[in-house]
Amino acid sequence: MPVVLIEKESPQISVVTLNRPERRNALTLGLMTELCAAIKVASEQPEQRVLILRGAGAAFCTGLDLKEAADSTNAHATAEMVANTLVAISQTRLVTIAAVHGAAVAGGAGIMSACDFVVAAERTKIGYPEVRRGLVAGLVMTFLRRQVGERNMRELLFSGDLIDAARAREIGLVNRVVAPDDLMNEAQRFAASVLQGAPGALAQTKRLVEELWWRSVKEDVDVALKYHMQARESDEAREGITAFNEKRKPRIGKKINPSKARPIPKPTPLPKLLAKSMQRIIQTMKFTNGMSIKRIHHHGRPTILHQM
């Protein structure tokens, strides 16, 4: 079954669903590659203007799949793909809306915050617990620092505590908090509001918002990737990831000498993987333009997606 579903809700709106409910939509290399491909496919259709991103099952996204991350040979590939995914979401010309429920944690919170607008269901848990696993929330910090004050950012990153949707709205991380059953309705209402604007003016407005920052998202992500990789190669991260997979507390506490950090390996190019995913998604969109209807689980119960 595809790990990312894409459907046209209308000629101007696409809905993309993270579809690994059995793993709470944890991010794997395959899922992120397909997500990037789905965003690219939707962005290249001239009539498309809005992309709604949601998760199947009990949670929006719980971050990096630490079972896959435990394989050190995947370290740079997954890190690079997280970076590519966040950039793809933030840099698309489409207005992006995250419809978040259950949990948006670590990389999942990063994907959420890379979107232009966030609607969260009540009681959704959001946070950045990376330091508790010996990791650095460098890539997601690129977006967090643009959206909340520095005191709030330090609290989220240093403590690793999860906050609820109401608190996330207070500090500017979330735009709207609604009842779970109203989540997609609220996302669609905002999409309808966006469609009242002139396409060219909206595209230029989104571009200007980016250019008014003193450094681009891409530049920030490149810097953050270095810190992310240094942490991924550390003894702390190895212990933190192992402890998570073994369902125990990590034995972390020794002082680490930064000078002994391993050198960052050369990035692994992923264009072939992305091209294959794009080809599959294009075929899926053509097929579902007929009579196919996909069934997913949303909020823990089956939901029929709209016919394309």
Side-chain angles (χ1 to χ4, degrees):
M1 189 172 184
V3 292
V4 172
L5 304 177
I6 182 170
E7 60 167 333
K8 278 187 181 178
E9 186 171 275
S10 75
Q12 296 170 309
I13 302 172
S14 286
V15 176
V16 172
T17 305
L18 307 181
N19 192 39
R20 292 188 74 215
E22 74 286 356
R23 293 286 295 162
R24 294 168 65 83
N25 298 312
L27 302 172
T28 61
L29 188 57
L31 184 149
M32 290 184 285
T33 302
E34 297 233 348
L35 177 56
C36 286
I39 294 167
K40 186 171 175 59
V41 167
S43 300
E44 289 178 348
Q45 298 182 46
E47 73 280 7
Q48 288 287 290
R49 295 179 58 192
V50 177
L51 187 147
I52 299 174
L53 181 60
R54 65 179 182 176
F60 174 72
C61 177
T62 53
L64 201 62
D65 189 318
L66 294 185
K67 284 190 176 180
E68 184 178 85
D71 183 352
S72 60
T73 62
N74 287 329
H76 201 105
T78 54
E80 186 184 34
M81 205 62 228
V82 171
N84 291 346
T85 302
L86 296 176
V87 170
I89 294 169
S90 69
Q91 301 296 291
T92 176
R93 65 172 184 82
L94 304 175
V95 174
T96 52
I97 304 170
V100 179
H101 73 285
V105 180
I111 284 177
M112 175 198 79
S113 60
C115 291
D116 297 311
F117 188 85
V118 180
V119 186
E122 294 167 347
R123 297 181 295 280
T124 299
K125 295 297 183 182
I126 299 168
Y128 305 84
E130 281 89 337
V131 292
R132 297 186 180 186
R133 298 298 169 195
L135 300 169
V136 174
L139 295 167
V140 299
M141 200 187 306
T142 297
F143 302 95
L144 186 63
R145 65 185 289 271
R146 285 167 157 79
Q147 293 162 5
V148 302
E150 187 168 337
R151 291 293 185 194
N152 290 321
M153 181 180 74
R154 288 174 184 267
E155 179 181 349
L156 287 169
L157 295 173
F158 295 174
S159 73
D161 291 336
L162 303 185
I163 60 174
D164 62 20
R167 176 59 178 158
R169 188 175 185 278
E170 283 179 9
I171 64 176
L173 197 53
V174 162
N175 297 93
R176 302 276 192 278
V177 178
V178 298
D181 289 341
D182 201 34
L183 184 63
M184 283 302 293
N185 290 334
E186 184 63 27
Q188 289 158 352
R189 277 193 285 271
F190 184 72
S193 180
V194 168
L195 294 178
Q196 299 302 308
L202 274 169
Q204 290 182 37
T205 299
K206 181 168 179 174
R207 192 176 304 118
L208 180 58
V209 169
E210 163 70 6
E211 290 185 2
L212 285 177
W213 283 91
W214 70 278
R215 192 163 64 186
S216 71
V217 165
K218 183 64 172 64
E219 289 173 314
D220 278 349
V221 165
D222 287 343
V223 172
L225 185 58
K226 296 176 183 178
Y227 283 85
H228 179 93
M229 279 309 306
Q230 285 177 344
R232 283 287 295 276
E233 294 291 320
S234 71
D235 292 337
E236 288 182 340
R238 279 190 287 274
E239 167 59 17
I241 291 170
T242 299
F244 179 87
N245 289 326
E246 293 178 354
K247 295 181 171 54
R248 62 172 173 79
K249 288 186 177 181
R251 294 185 286 269
I252 292 176
K254 293 182 179 180
K255 185 176 179 181
I256 303 297
N257 184 350
S259 66
K260 293 184 179 180
R262 295 186 180 183
I264 299 167
K266 187 177 179 181
T268 305
L270 299 166
K272 289 185 179 179
L273 208 53
L274 184 59
K276 287 178 70 175
S277 291
M278 284 184 63
Q279 192 173 42
R280 186 198 66 75
I281 286 168
I282 291 169
Q283 290 301 318
T284 299
M285 291 185 74
K286 287 178 180 177
F287 177 69
T288 54
N289 207 30
M291 298 303 294
S292 174
I293 297 177
K294 291 188 176 68
R295 181 183 295 270
I296 64 167
H297 285 77
H298 191 55
H299 299 309
R301 60 183 182 274
T303 301
I304 299 291
L305 297 183
H306 294 291
Q307 185 174 330
M308 291 171 59

